[in-house]
Coordinates of all heavy atoms in Angstrom, one line a residue:
M65 N 26.7 56.7 29.7 CA 27.1 58.1 30.2 C 26.4 59.2 29.5 O 26.0 59.1 28.3 CB 28.7 58.2 30.0 CG 29.4 57.2 30.9 SD 31.2 57.4 30.6 CE 31.4 56.7 29.0
F87 N 34.6 69.0 31.6 CA 33.2 68.6 31.5 C 32.9 67.7 32.7 O 33.8 67.2 33.3 CB 32.9 67.9 30.2 CG 33.8 66.8 29.9 CD1 33.3 65.5 30.2 CD2 35.0 66.9 29.3 CE1 34.1 64.4 29.9 CE2 35.8 65.8 29.1 CZ 35.4 64.6 29.4
L89 N 30.6 64.3 33.8 CA 29.9 63.1 33.3 C 29.1 62.6 34.4 O 29.5 62.5 35.6 CB 30.9 62.1 32.8 CG 31.5 62.2 31.5 CD1 32.5 61.1 31.3 CD2 30.5 62.1 30.4
G90 N 27.9 62.0 34.1 CA 27.1 61.2 35.0 C 26.5 59.9 34.2 O 26.8 59.9 33.0
L91 N 25.9 59.2 34.9 CA 25.2 58.0 34.3 C 23.9 58.5 33.7 O 23.1 59.2 34.2 CB 25.0 56.8 35.3 CG 26.2 56.1 35.7 CD1 25.8 55.0 36.7 CD2 26.9 55.5 34.5
P97 N 27.1 50.9 35.7 CA 28.3 51.6 36.2 C 29.5 51.5 35.2 O 29.6 50.5 34.5 CB 28.6 50.9 37.5 CG 27.3 50.3 37.9 CD 26.6 49.9 36.7
V98 N 30.4 52.5 35.3 CA 31.5 52.6 34.5 C 32.8 52.8 35.3 O 32.8 53.6 36.2 CB 31.4 53.8 33.5 CG1 32.7 53.9 32.7 CG2 30.2 53.7 32.6
D99 N 33.6 51.8 35.1 CA 35.0 51.8 35.9 C 36.0 52.7 35.2 O 36.4 52.3 34.2 CB 35.5 50.4 36.1 CG 36.7 50.3 36.9 OD1 37.1 51.3 37.5 OD2 37.3 49.3 36.9
F100 N 36.2 53.9 35.7 CA 37.2 54.8 35.0 C 38.6 54.4 35.1 O 39.4 55.0 34.4 CB 37.0 56.2 35.6 CG 35.9 57.0 34.8 CD1 34.6 56.7 34.9 CD2 36.2 57.9 33.8 CE1 33.6 57.3 34.2 CE2 35.3 58.6 33.1 CZ 33.9 58.3 33.3
S101 N 39.0 53.4 35.9 CA 40.3 52.9 35.8 C 40.6 52.2 34.6 O 41.8 52.0 34.2 CB 40.6 52.0 37.0 OG 39.8 50.8 36.9
T102 N 39.6 51.8 33.8 CA 39.8 51.0 32.5 C 39.4 52.0 31.3 O 39.4 51.5 30.2 CB 39.0 49.7 32.4 OG1 37.6 50.1 32.6 CG2 39.4 48.9 33.5
V103 N 39.1 53.2 31.5 CA 38.6 54.1 30.4 C 39.7 54.6 29.7 O 40.8 55.0 30.2 CB 37.7 55.3 31.0 CG1 37.5 56.4 30.1 CG2 36.4 54.7 31.5
Q104 N 39.5 54.7 28.4 CA 40.5 55.3 27.5 C 39.9 56.5 26.8 O 38.8 56.4 26.4 CB 41.0 54.3 26.4 CG 42.0 54.8 25.5 CD 42.4 53.7 24.4 OE1 41.5 53.2 23.8 NE2 43.7 53.5 24.3
M105 N 40.7 57.6 26.6 CA 40.1 58.8 26.0 C 40.9 59.1 24.7 O 42.2 59.0 24.8 CB 40.2 60.0 26.9 CG 39.2 59.9 28.0 SD 38.8 61.5 28.8 CE 37.9 60.9 30.2
G118 N 45.3 58.3 31.5 CA 44.8 58.8 32.8 C 45.9 59.0 33.7 O 46.9 58.3 33.7
T119 N 45.8 60.0 34.6 CA 46.8 60.3 35.6 C 46.8 59.2 36.6 O 45.9 58.4 36.8 CB 46.6 61.7 36.2 OG1 45.4 61.7 36.9 CG2 46.8 62.8 35.3
L122 N 43.9 58.8 39.4 CA 43.0 59.5 38.5 C 42.4 60.7 39.2 O 42.0 61.7 38.4 CB 41.8 58.6 38.1 CG 42.2 57.5 37.0 CD1 41.0 56.6 36.7 CD2 42.6 58.2 35.7
W132 N 44.4 62.9 31.2 CA 43.1 63.3 31.7 C 43.1 62.9 33.2 O 43.7 62.0 33.5 CB 42.0 62.7 30.8 CG 41.9 61.2 30.9 CD1 42.5 60.3 30.1 CD2 41.2 60.4 31.8 NE1 42.2 59.0 30.5 CE2 41.3 59.1 31.5 CE3 40.3 60.7 32.9 CZ2 40.8 58.1 32.2 CZ3 39.7 59.7 33.6 CH2 40.0 58.3 33.2
N133 N 42.2 63.6 33.9 CA 42.0 63.1 35.3 C 40.6 63.6 35.8 O 39.9 64.3 35.1 CB 43.1 63.7 36.2 CG 43.0 65.2 36.3 OD1 42.1 65.9 35.7 ND2 43.8 65.9 37.2
I134 N 40.2 63.0 36.9 CA 38.9 63.4 37.5 C 39.2 64.3 38.6 O 39.8 64.0 39.6 CB 38.3 62.1 38.1 CG1 38.2 61.0 37.1 CG2 36.9 62.4 38.7 CD1 37.7 59.6 37.5
A138 N 35.7 61.8 42.5 CA 36.3 60.4 42.8 C 37.3 60.5 43.9 O 37.8 61.6 44.3 CB 36.9 60.0 41.5
D142 N 38.0 54.9 44.8 CA 36.8 54.7 44.2 C 36.7 55.6 42.9 O 36.5 56.8 43.0 CB 35.6 55.2 45.1 CG 34.2 55.0 44.5 OD1 34.1 54.2 43.6 OD2 33.3 55.6 45.0
V143 N 36.9 55.0 41.7 CA 36.7 55.6 40.4 C 35.7 54.9 39.6 O 35.7 54.9 38.4 CB 38.1 55.6 39.7 CG1 39.1 56.6 40.4 CG2 38.7 54.2 39.5
L144 N 34.7 54.4 40.4 CA 33.6 53.8 39.7 C 32.4 54.8 39.6 O 31.9 55.2 40.6 CB 33.2 52.5 40.4 CG 32.0 51.7 39.8 CD1 32.4 51.0 38.5 CD2 31.6 50.6 40.8
L145 N 32.0 55.1 38.4 CA 30.9 56.1 38.2 C 29.6 55.2 38.3 O 29.3 54.4 37.4 CB 31.0 56.7 36.8 CG 29.9 57.7 36.5 CD1 30.0 58.9 37.4 CD2 30.1 58.2 35.1
E146 N 28.9 55.4 39.3 CA 27.6 54.6 39.5 C 26.6 55.5 40.3 O 26.9 56.5 40.9 CB 27.9 53.4 40.4 CG 28.5 53.7 41.7 CD 29.0 52.4 42.6 OE1 28.5 51.3 42.1 OE2 29.7 52.7 43.5
F151 N 31.4 62.9 37.8 CA 32.8 63.1 37.8 C 33.1 64.3 36.9 O 32.6 64.3 35.7 CB 33.5 61.9 37.1 CG 33.5 60.6 38.0 CD1 34.0 59.5 37.5 CD2 33.1 60.7 39.3 CE1 34.1 58.4 38.3 CE2 33.2 59.6 40.2 CZ 33.8 58.4 39.6
I153 N 35.8 66.0 34.8 CA 37.0 65.6 34.1 C 37.7 66.7 33.4 O 37.0 67.6 32.7 CB 36.7 64.4 33.1 CG1 36.1 63.2 33.9 CG2 37.8 64.0 32.3 CD1 35.5 62.1 33.1
I171 N 35.2 59.0 24.7 CA 35.5 58.3 26.0 C 35.1 56.9 25.8 O 34.0 56.6 25.5 CB 34.6 59.0 27.1 CG1 35.0 60.4 27.2 CG2 34.8 58.3 28.4 CD1 33.9 61.3 27.8
R172 N 36.1 56.0 26.0 CA 35.9 54.6 25.6 C 36.0 53.7 26.9 O 37.1 53.4 27.4 CB 37.0 54.1 24.6 CG 36.9 54.8 23.3 CD 38.0 54.2 22.4 NE 37.9 54.8 21.1 CZ 38.8 54.7 20.2 NH1 39.9 53.9 20.4 NH2 38.7 55.2 19.0
P173 N 34.8 53.3 27.4 CA 34.9 52.4 28.6 C 35.3 50.9 28.2 O 35.2 50.6 27.0 CB 33.5 52.4 29.2 CG 32.6 52.9 28.1 CD 33.5 53.7 27.1
S174 N 35.7 50.1 29.0 CA 36.0 48.7 28.7 C 34.9 48.0 28.2 O 35.0 47.1 27.4 CB 36.7 48.1 29.9 OG 35.8 48.1 31.0

Side-chain angles (χ1 to χ4, degrees):
M65 294 178 287
F87 56 95
L89 280 176
L91 287 180
V98 177
D99 182 7
F100 269 77
S101 64
T102 63
V103 166
Q104 181 183 49
M105 292 196 190
T119 58
L122 282 177
W132 65 271
N133 68 358
I134 303 170
D142 182 21
V143 290
L144 183 68
L145 181 64
E146 60 185 342
F151 287 175
I153 296 173
I171 303 155
R172 297 179 179 172
S174 59

